[in-house]
Amino acid sequence: RTIGDRIGEAKASGNLGNTLKILGQFDEAVVCCQRHLDISREQGDKVGEARALYNIGNVYHAKGKHLSWNTAHDPGYLPQEVKDTLQKASEYYERNLSLVKELGDRAAQGRAYGNLGNTQYLLGNFSEAIAFHKERLAIAKEFGDKAAERRAYSNLGNAHIFLGRFDISADYYKKTLQLSRQLKDQAVEAQACYSLGNTCTLLQDYEKAIEYHLRHLVIAQELGDR
């Protein structure tokens, strides 16, 4: 501010916002991220504007998750305050998405699609969540980003469960399992086995369910995860 560096001030405000978000001070975080957005717009900095929109979405997303942890429920059955907060997150991600499309930034589009999928899932809009996660998946494959691809499969599996499409869920979880083994991520492998165990139970394939749950148990023991 002293040297009149507006872009620098915008970036610093954005960084402050992200830090306050991590500290759980969501309302203060929004103020800082909004400052980042305002200055970026004033300076005609489209990249900064896109980043600020994404960050504000992140703050509302984190706030929504934080508020919903205090109440036990399935996705879609949310107190009004949580719904409103997640809806705001979704709106900012949408605005970010249209701007990064304009800028031709595919990687940023992938991030936006993933987060839109996650917010729609929490809101109980499972079909919308699936559409967004499919877009996320396509971009992850485009970039050869195996970790993002793995997350997309997992999220697609979760959403299909709530639509009662257990066989489709099982296919996505199997892909999650394959990739977690490729990535040598045992914790994620265990999670995939757990999801597959539950899905096989829903499909009434109890032998398979036992196999997956035993695998989950073995990895949990190996990792010393009580």
Side-chain angles (χ1 to χ4, degrees):
R1 278 180 180 159
T2 309
I3 61 171
D5 174 2
R6 294 292 277 167
I7 297 277
E9 185 185 339
K11 280 183 185 162
S13 299
N15 289 337
L16 260 175
N18 290 338
T19 310
L20 287 163
K21 176 195 78 180
I22 293 164
L23 291 169
Q25 296 173 27
F26 303 114
D27 299 338
E28 294 91 326
V30 169
V31 173
C32 292
C33 291
Q34 185 64 47
R35 182 120 189 88
H36 184 192
L37 181 62
D38 295 341
I39 299 173
S40 299
R41 281 190 177 144
E42 165 208 301
Q43 297 293 311
D45 173 8
K46 291 277 193 192
V47 173
E49 185 182 339
R51 234 171 241 151
L53 288 167
Y54 181 77
N55 288 344
I56 297 174
N58 272 344
V59 175
Y60 282 121
H61 195 169
K63 184 182 179 180
K65 282 202 281 197
H66 176 78
L67 289 170
S68 71
W69 284 333
N70 304 329
T71 52
H73 49 74
D74 278 333
Y77 297 92
L78 297 170
Q80 195 56 45
E81 186 192 2
V82 180
K83 263 188 194 166
D84 295 343
T85 306
L86 289 169
Q87 202 52 59
K88 270 188 186 154
S90 208
E91 282 160 23
Y92 279 100
Y93 287 141
E94 290 270 17
R95 286 161 66 185
N96 164 261
L97 180 61
S98 68
L99 191 49
V100 294
K101 275 183 177 170
E102 200 183 300
L103 295 167
D105 185 341
R106 286 294 278 167
Q109 287 169 45
R111 287 191 292 276
Y113 280 125
N115 281 322
L116 277 163
N118 290 336
T119 47
Q120 289 305 310
Y121 173 80
L122 290 172
L123 284 164
N125 304 329
F126 302 114
S127 299
E128 288 88 334
I130 287 165
F132 286 128
H133 284 309
K134 280 184 172 166
E135 294 283 357
R136 176 67 192 111
L137 179 62
I139 294 173
K141 284 180 170 173
E142 213 175 284
F143 280 89
D145 183 344
K146 292 289 183 194
E149 191 183 332
R150 199 274 307 153
R151 285 195 300 274
Y153 284 135
S154 187
N155 289 328
L156 282 162
N158 294 343
H160 278 94
I161 288 280
F162 282 95
L163 293 176
R165 298 177 190 154
F166 306 135
D167 47 344
I168 298 175
S169 285
D171 289 340
Y172 280 125
Y173 288 142
K174 280 173 190 161
K175 288 179 171 157
T176 307
L177 183 58
Q178 256 174 333
L179 275 176
S180 66
R181 283 175 179 159
Q182 266 182 41
L183 294 163
K184 296 189 171 36
D185 187 335
Q186 277 203 297
V188 171
E189 185 183 338
Q191 272 171 358
C193 288
Y194 174 76
S195 298
L196 273 163
N198 289 340
T199 309
C200 287
T201 302
L202 292 167
L203 288 165
Q204 299 183 339
D205 184 350
Y206 303 117
E207 293 297 323
K208 265 275 175 251
I210 289 168
E211 253 174 67
Y212 284 122
H213 285 310
L214 279 171
R215 179 78 193 124
H216 177 214
L217 178 62
V218 169
I219 298 174
Q221 287 168 341
E222 276 173 24
L223 296 174
D225 182 341
R226 302 284 291 178

